[in-house]
Amino acid sequence: MIRERFMSSLNASDRSQVRIRELLAEARPRPEVVVRGWLRTVRRGKEVTFFEINDGSCFASLQVVADSAGPLAPVLEELATGACVAVRGELVESPAKGQAVELKATELVLLGPADSDYPLQKKRHSFEFLRSIAHLRPRTNSFGAVFRVRSRLAFAVHRFFQERGFLYVQTPIITASDCEGAGELFRVTTLDAGNPPRVDGQVDFTRDFFGQQSGLTVSGQLEAELFATAFADVYTFGPTFRAENSNTSRHAAEFWMIEPEMAFCDLAADCDLAEEFLRYLVRFVLEDCADDLDFFDQRIEKGLIDKLQQLARAEFARMSYTEAIKQLEKSGREFEFPVRWGCDLQSEHERFLTEQVVGGPVFVTDYPKEIKAFYMRQNDDDRTVAAMDLLVPRVGEIIGGSQREERLDRLDARMRELGMEMEPLWWYRDIRRWGSCPHAGFGLGFERLLMYVTGMENIRDVIPFPRTPGHAEF
Ligand code: 4AD
Ligand code: MG
């Protein structure tokens, strides 16, 4: 309604505005429609002018045909790639191949002109170049497809959990605790960086905004755990931040994570849920985003749809860390990072396991406690914890999770071993004093998921405005 009133240039009471997706899906003539969008191409002929409008609602654009010498001639003259237009016309069967219907324009308004400096003149641009014009790249085929899939998948995430009775909890973005203990917290402060208050030479954070050192969250898990001891099944889905200075194609400083947390759940059931979740999301995009996936399959990763269909059917393999190390050792491969029991798995190891050893998704479980976070449940062997990582071909780790240490004495012992301060996590420990229960959860990196389902190779190309070392402009 608001939009209809606003667009007074093409008849204020116009109710015939539709999205191109609907017109193309229906593919039937209509006596009158109004379409608004951005020009992808213009071809001027002596008698007719063709132009393609895309409104972002679907991959395809709508072909518009206008009489070059008719009453629209002055506006047609001004049309150029990138311009924004409103068109009224009759939707007719298209005589040419390539589209079922086309729009015969009777009225045309140039809402926002574009000049020949418009950077998206060519059909194809490198992703590197498009990153430098992140404000315009959503208007390209590739990024249109990426961000439509992203939006639909976000919806599917909520649908999956809501259908299963999980409570959606919004965990804080500003926090004083470093959940993963990796020291990757971005600092949040209002102190004067050039002249902070000091006591004995040290910065005095008691005089900072929150009265203590605080930062941007690296994970909503600790708070989700609190909610799981009240609502049993909960999930968070929000932005997470890591000041990890690794300039890789799989790491971003700001990314979105989905973190379910379940009471009365052990590691095996945690893996079961992760498997069901990933399969659900893949099935959802196969059905819901078919046109966009066709594009990815043809242009970005050959065989993508096949791969996704296989995943939707496959049972995921499960393998202990100890077994994974044996497999890597007996492979005879020379890895850049040597393999021995106790080492953290690097990307090259993860990919070898999922691509060569298993040939599909694999959960690696029960990692050495030394390479995992303090909250993971300690196994009886005293050397491993009930952790799991889900590895998938090409992307590597897509999910990380664990059963949590619900026994206060064991948690305290581990925190002491790690030299952690008890006091700041008093609330986390409290939960183990009153009504503690076995519980487990995991984190799915939303961008890693998108890389997997679109075939895009760089995490920077599945986030609207990527934040990586040195990049926060737009
Ligand atoms: O394995 P991670 O660090 O696990 C956690 O944060 C747990 N608290 C989750 C939980 O049990 N609730 O991160 C989980 C996932 C990774 O598997 C990966 O997909 C993604 O988050 N991830 C990143 N994605 C993009 N850029 C980064 N810098 C990422 N770091 C982790
Ligand atoms: Mg991890």
Side-chain angles (χ1 to χ4, degrees), residues 227-243:
F227 265 57
T229 64
F231 300 96
D233 290 341
V234 304
Y235 71 104
T236 73
F237 181 10
T240 15
F241 308 86
R242 295 191 187 178

Side-chain angles (χ1 to χ4, degrees), residues 179-180 184 218-222 224 236 240-242 244 246 250-261 270 372 375-376 388-390 395 397-402 404 440-449 459 463:
C179 170
E180 297 304 306
E184 292 169 348
V218 297
S219 159
Q221 179 198 319
L222 301 186
T236 73
T240 15
F241 308 86
R242 295 191 187 178
E244 186 171 23
S246 52
R250 307 180 319 139
H251 290 87
E254 176 179 303
F255 61 98
W256 283 60
M257 187 157 48
I258 299 127
E259 296 182 275
E261 190 70 34
D270 197 31
K372 289 291 182 186
Y375 53 71
M376 296 190 181
M388 60 94 150
D389 276 1
L390 177 62
V395 174
E397 178 191 337
I398 192 166
I399 286 178
S402 64
R404 323 303 188 188
F442 62 81
L444 167 67
F446 192 47
E447 286 75 21
R448 300 260 176 103
L449 169 72
I459 195 162
I463 309 182

Side-chain angles (χ1 to χ4, degrees), residues 430-450:
D430 258 6
I431 288 302
R432 274 82 184 156
R433 294 172 61 199
W434 300 307
S436 191
C437 65
H439 61 288
F442 62 81
L444 167 67
F446 192 47
E447 286 75 21
R448 300 260 176 103
L449 169 72
L450 278 157

Side-chain angles (χ1 to χ4, degrees), residues 301-312:
E301 185 186 339
K302 290 258 177 309
L304 175 79
I305 292 182
D306 238 25
K307 177 190 84 174
L308 295 177
Q309 280 166 345
Q310 269 174 36
L311 180 122

Side-chain angles (χ1 to χ4, degrees), residues 206-217:
T206 62
R207 290 169 61 188
D208 202 350
F209 191 92
F210 296 107
Q212 60 181 318
Q213 274 197 57
S214 45
L216 299 177
T217 186

